[in-house]
């Protein structure tokens, strides 16, 4: 446990030292704020206080931001050889991966925390469905966790950050868009399976305010699958 | 803690990086690991630290198997990997504190351990800098400091003095020697003089196999089991002296050492010495000896001899 926490701390420190954290937070707040207040279903016209447009845009911004955060996390350690330094200490691959996972999730958590003023201002405009808002935040956190895990998996495959970034996006786009898209255009068992695999299906059902164990289980499976696969790759110690 | 390497083999594809290698290092001993590039030194060291798992064979550190219980073994090992990987974005103090924490050093003791390592490794003047800003020699010291931070019983150093200037090399050697009195140390190097100066025992490996093993003294004797003398004679004629020397019973080989003068290289029969016979011969013939030196085999020669294909 101690080891995981130490790695999380170090990773967070490195996010903030390298300005990545500040840039990510500022860009995220600007984009999501702009869309919440100016574009899309404009809060001043729909006659109902809601954060739907914020959740819709965060769904996409996080999809692109997370691979940018995770891409260096393993790939850079492999390139510079520090992964060897780390894994010859009394630290397991498992602890390294969870440490990094938690660091990225914490950063996303901080970014989301800073969007709470949006929530409070919208609230002051009129009645708001508080349950739906909190469910929306939970949905964003779960989705982020799933993509962090996929990002770490992609990053552990290579020692090139750009390859890790593109690979994470490539895997992610299936869950984010393609599975849902394909399942809508076909029928039968395949459609059901793909519809289940589609992350947006589960995200939508959570943001509607229905927190179902089935959806939670779906996200947890992706998180664990990603970390377990990344661990398997790290254990193999392949050189490229 | 003793290190027992017991018949490890590690293959990369079809290539045997390490081929059924076995050796033992005892507590208080410094073992020097020599070999040409790609001989399997680094692979062996990675296997001892638990980073690579050998295909067959086992390694025991202090009686604990590395393959079966790597987590336990790692606690007792301080390791300086090849190329000395470090987190360049961290300040030295933070980095050493981080490594100490990973090793489970007591929170209250971390600060004092870190400052002790900074003192021992001569990093005082640089301690607030980020690792990125350090010169190569100082980075190497940080690498050594992180290997020593938890006061390990076993120290594995993969080329610890690369990139250091001669003064630093001497300092680091002294440091390793001091540490090696109570601990078990394995270090690899390309510099033969360094291994000779620092290590109690030398192991030369080539193509993943041990080709020579022993103290520097023993290696010399093994490589040139037979006595080799360089002798210069005066008041004589070259060819006559050559034939007379060749006729001596203890001499196996005589060779001219250069073109003109009466200087010869004489190799004795195995286990025998020819000095006495040569002297008697000279007395008898009325020659005088201008020089008589035993030829020391240099470690470089041994190295080249055992590692040529």
């Amino acid at each position: 446990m101690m080891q995981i926490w130490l790695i999380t701390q170090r990773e967070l420190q490195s996010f903030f030292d390298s300005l990545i954290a500040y840039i990510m937070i500022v860009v995220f707040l600007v984009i999501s704020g702009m869309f919440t207040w100016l574009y899309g279903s404009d809060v001043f016209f729909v006659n109902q206080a809601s954060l739907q447009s914020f959740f819709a845009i965060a769904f996409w911004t996080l999809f692109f931001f997370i691979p940018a955060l995770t891409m260096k996390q393993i790939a850079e350690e492999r390139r510079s050889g520090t992964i060897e330094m780390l894994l010859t200490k009394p630290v397991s691959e498992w602890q390294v991966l969870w440490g990094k996972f938690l660091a990225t999730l914490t950063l996303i958590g901080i970014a989301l925390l800073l969007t709470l003023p949006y929530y409070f201002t919208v609230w002051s405009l009129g009645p708001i469905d508080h349950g739906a808002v909190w469910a929306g935040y939970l949905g964003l956190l779960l989705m982020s966790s799933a993509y962090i895990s996929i990002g770490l998996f992609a990053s552990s495959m290579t020692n090139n950050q750009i390859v890790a970034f593109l690979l994470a996006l490539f895997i992610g786009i299936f869950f984010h868009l393609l599975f849902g898209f394909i399942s809508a255009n076909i029928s039968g068992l395949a459609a059901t399976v793909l519809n289940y695999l589609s992350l947006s299906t589960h995200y939508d059902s959570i943001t509607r305010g229905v927190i179902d164990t089935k959806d939670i289980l779906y996200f947890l499976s992706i998180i664990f699958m990603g970390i377990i696969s990344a661990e398997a790759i790290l254990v193999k110690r392949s050189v490229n | 803690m003793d290190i027992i390497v017991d018949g490890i083999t590690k293959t990369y594809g079809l290539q045997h990086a390490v081929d059924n290698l076995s050796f033992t290092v005892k507590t208080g001993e410094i073992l020097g690991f020599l070999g040409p590039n790609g001989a399997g030194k680094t692979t062996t060291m990675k296997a001892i630290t638990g980073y690579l798992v050998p295909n067959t064979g086992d390694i025991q550190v202090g009686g604990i198997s590395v393959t079966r219980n790597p987590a336990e073994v790692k606690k007792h090992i301080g390791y300086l990997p090849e190329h000395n990987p470090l987190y360049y974005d961290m300040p030295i103090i933070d980095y050493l504190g981080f490594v100490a924490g990973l090793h489970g050093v007591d929170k209250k003791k971390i600060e004092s351990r870190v400052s002790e390592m900074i003192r021992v490794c001569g990093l005082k003047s640089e301690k607030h800098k980020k690792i990125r800003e350090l010169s190569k020699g100082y980075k190497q010291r940080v690498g050594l400091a992180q290997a020593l931070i938890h006061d390990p019983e076993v120290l594995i150093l993969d080329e610890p003095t690369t990139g250091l200037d001669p003064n630093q090399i001497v300092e680091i050697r002294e440091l390793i020697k001091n540490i090696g009195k109570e601990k078990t140390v394995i270090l690899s190097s390309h510099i033969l003089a360094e291994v000779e100066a620092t290590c109690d025992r030398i192991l030369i490996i080539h193509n993943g196999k041990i080709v020579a093993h022993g103290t520097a003294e023993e290696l010399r004797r093994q490589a040139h089991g037979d006595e080799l003398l360089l002798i210069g004679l005066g008041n004589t004629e070259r060819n006559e002296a050559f034939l007379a020397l060749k006729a001596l019973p203890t001499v196996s080989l005589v060779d001219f050492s250069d073109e003109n003068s009466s200087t010869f290289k004489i190799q004795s029969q195995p286990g025998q010495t020819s000095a006495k016979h040569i002297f008697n011969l000279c007395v008898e013939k009325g020659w005088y000896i201008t020089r008589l030196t035993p030829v020391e085999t240099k470690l470089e020669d041994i190295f080249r001899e055992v590692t040529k294909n």
Side-chain angles (χ1 to χ4, degrees):
Chain A
M1 236 8 245
M2 196 59 216
Q3 262 82 357
I4 295 179
W5 174 232
L6 280 167
I7 288 167
T8 304
Q9 271 183 315
R10 201 208 80 79
E11 288 292 316
L12 273 175
Q13 188 73 50
S14 142
F15 276 141
F16 282 98
D17 279 351
S18 62
L19 298 181
I20 294 176
Y22 301 106
I23 295 170
M24 184 265 165
I25 289 172
V26 168
V27 174
F28 176 73
L29 290 180
V30 167
I31 293 180
S32 52
M34 208 165 74
F35 277 86
T36 308
W37 300 104
L38 300 177
Y39 292 101
S41 48
D42 198 314
V43 279
F44 298 107
F45 290 109
V46 287
N47 259 336
Q48 194 210 339
S50 129
L51 277 178
Q52 280 315 316
S53 51
F54 164 70
F55 289 125
I57 191 65
F59 180 67
W60 277 98
T61 35
L62 288 177
F63 172 72
F64 285 106
F65 277 176
I66 288 168
L69 293 175
T70 55
M71 66 179 188
K72 76 156 199 175
Q73 288 196 298
I74 309 286
E76 182 60 19
E77 299 239 13
R78 288 176 51 138
R79 194 194 58 75
S80 68
T82 44
I83 192 76
E84 179 178 358
M85 187 276 297
L86 212 50
L87 292 176
T88 47
K89 307 275 176 272
V91 181
S92 64
E93 291 84 357
W94 189 246
Q95 290 168 325
V96 170
L97 287 164
W98 282 113
K100 287 172 183 278
F101 174 90
L102 286 177
T104 317
L105 187 59
T106 308
L107 184 58
I108 301 288
I110 293 170
L112 289 179
L113 216 59
L114 292 172
T115 64
L116 285 181
Y118 299 171
Y119 168 36
F120 296 131
T121 20
V122 171
W123 183 7
S124 70
L125 293 174
I128 189 167
D129 182 351
H130 295 290
V133 172
W134 292 117
Y137 274 111
L138 177 71
L140 283 181
L141 279 178
L142 284 170
M143 179 197 86
S144 304
S145 304
Y147 287 135
I148 292 169
S149 162
I150 289 172
L152 283 174
F153 166 69
S155 186
S156 66
M157 298 269 281
T158 167
N159 42 24
N160 183 319
Q161 297 191 30
I162 305 299
V163 174
F165 176 72
L166 294 175
L167 192 62
L169 279 186
F170 179 73
I171 301 171
I173 198 75
F174 281 91
F175 290 99
H176 211 67
L177 196 67
L178 294 182
F179 287 150
F181 185 70
I182 299 168
S183 78
N185 287 297
I186 55 170
S187 58
L189 181 65
T192 323
V193 171
L194 287 179
N195 189 46
Y196 178 78
L197 282 177
S198 166
L199 189 141
S200 15
T201 314
H202 300 274
Y203 176 75
D204 288 344
S205 95
I206 286 182
T207 46
R208 272 198 301 271
V210 192
I211 296 165
D212 192 337
T213 37
K214 259 197 340 214
D215 299 321
I216 306 277
L217 212 63
Y218 168 83
F219 285 107
L220 287 181
S221 336
I222 294 192
I223 295 166
F224 275 89
M225 283 286 283
I227 301 285
I228 288 169
S229 320
E231 191 202 16
I233 293 168
L234 279 188
V235 167
K236 261 175 56 194
R237 311 255 193 270
S238 49
V239 191
N240 302 312
Chain B
M1 280 189 158
D2 294 1
I3 301 171
I4 302 168
V5 175
D6 185 13
I8 59 162
T9 299
K10 177 77 192 172
T11 53
Y12 295 115
L14 288 173
Q15 197 192 358
H16 281 65
V18 175
D19 194 358
N20 197 15
L21 193 73
S22 301
F23 62 91
T24 308
V25 196
K26 294 220 157 50
T27 312
E29 200 174 35
I30 304 178
L31 179 80
F33 227 37
L34 280 177
N37 288 320
K41 294 176 302 224
T42 298
T43 304
T44 310
M45 291 181 138
K46 283 182 178 177
I48 296 171
T49 56
Y51 185 66
L52 286 180
V53 180
N55 299 80
T56 57
D58 193 17
I59 298 164
Q60 292 196 351
V61 176
I64 311 161
S65 162
V66 176
T67 48
R68 254 168 287 151
N69 196 353
E72 185 57 33
V73 170
K74 285 174 187 173
K75 288 182 192 162
H76 303 288
I77 293 182
Y79 176 43
L80 174 66
E82 197 185 15
H83 308 313
N84 187 23
L86 301 165
Y87 288 127
Y88 283 4
D89 56 345
M90 287 178 101
I92 296 177
I93 294 184
D94 291 4
Y95 178 69
L96 293 178
F98 169 67
V99 174
L102 287 183
H103 271 296
V105 174
D106 192 359
K107 255 207 172 123
K108 288 168 222 142
K109 286 188 193 149
I110 287 183
E111 207 174 313
S112 66
R113 275 307 290 173
V114 169
S115 49
E116 193 188 339
M117 279 305 113
I118 284 176
R119 188 182 55 77
V120 170
C121 296
L123 288 161
K124 218 165 209 160
S125 56
E126 315 280 315
K127 66 180 176 183
H128 291 294
K129 283 191 184 169
K130 285 194 173 183
I131 294 174
R132 180 193 313 284
E133 296 157 11
L134 299 176
S135 68
K136 196 167 180 200
Y138 277 108
K139 281 184 188 138
Q140 198 70 19
R141 289 169 189 230
V142 175
L144 209 61
Q146 63 87 24
L148 291 168
I149 190 101
H150 58 302
D151 197 17
E153 303 194 44
V154 173
L155 206 55
I156 312 279
L157 308 170
D158 203 345
E159 303 192 4
T161 56
T162 41
L164 300 180
D165 67 42
N167 290 332
Q168 294 170 331
I169 289 180
V170 172
E171 282 172 42
I172 297 288
R173 273 188 208 159
E174 280 310 307
L175 183 64
I176 294 170
K177 263 191 155 169
N178 278 327
I179 296 161
K181 280 175 194 153
E182 297 143 47
K183 304 185 191 299
T184 320
V185 182
I186 299 183
L187 72 88
S188 78
S189 179
H190 278 119
I191 310 160
L192 296 141
E194 166 168 290
V195 171
E196 199 177 0
T198 328
C199 301
D200 304 315
R201 256 189 326 133
I202 298 170
L203 201 92
I204 304 180
I205 67 172
H206 183 46
N207 290 335
K209 290 191 173 105
I210 296 176
V211 286
H213 184 196
T215 61
E217 259 330 289
E218 283 168 3
L219 286 184
R220 287 214 178 81
R221 236 177 293 143
Q222 271 174 30
H224 257 287
D226 314 334
E227 183 190 58
L228 191 65
L229 296 171
L230 189 67
I231 183 165
L233 297 176
N235 194 23
T236 177
E237 199 269 317
R238 285 181 94 209
N239 292 322
E240 187 196 347
F242 177 79
L243 291 172
L245 285 168
K246 209 172 175 187
L248 288 175
T250 54
V251 170
S252 73
L253 220 76
V254 182
D255 200 2
F256 291 110
S257 153
D258 56 40
E259 294 284 288
N260 307 309
S261 68
S262 303
T263 332
F264 307 95
K265 270 186 184 160
I266 298 172
Q267 195 178 335
S268 308
Q269 301 279 6
Q272 303 210 43
T273 170
S274 317
K276 187 164 175 269
H277 286 100
I278 294 168
F279 182 73
N280 288 339
L281 179 73
C282 295
V283 171
E284 188 186 310
K285 302 264 186 183
W287 302 336
Y288 63 87
I289 297 173
T290 55
R291 63 189 297 186
L292 178 63
T293 16
V295 177
E296 281 245 307
T297 319
K298 275 189 266 158
L299 217 48
E300 273 86 355
D301 299 330
I302 303 169
F303 181 83
R304 233 171 289 142
E305 193 173 314
V306 294
T307 58
K308 68 183 167 215
N309 285 310

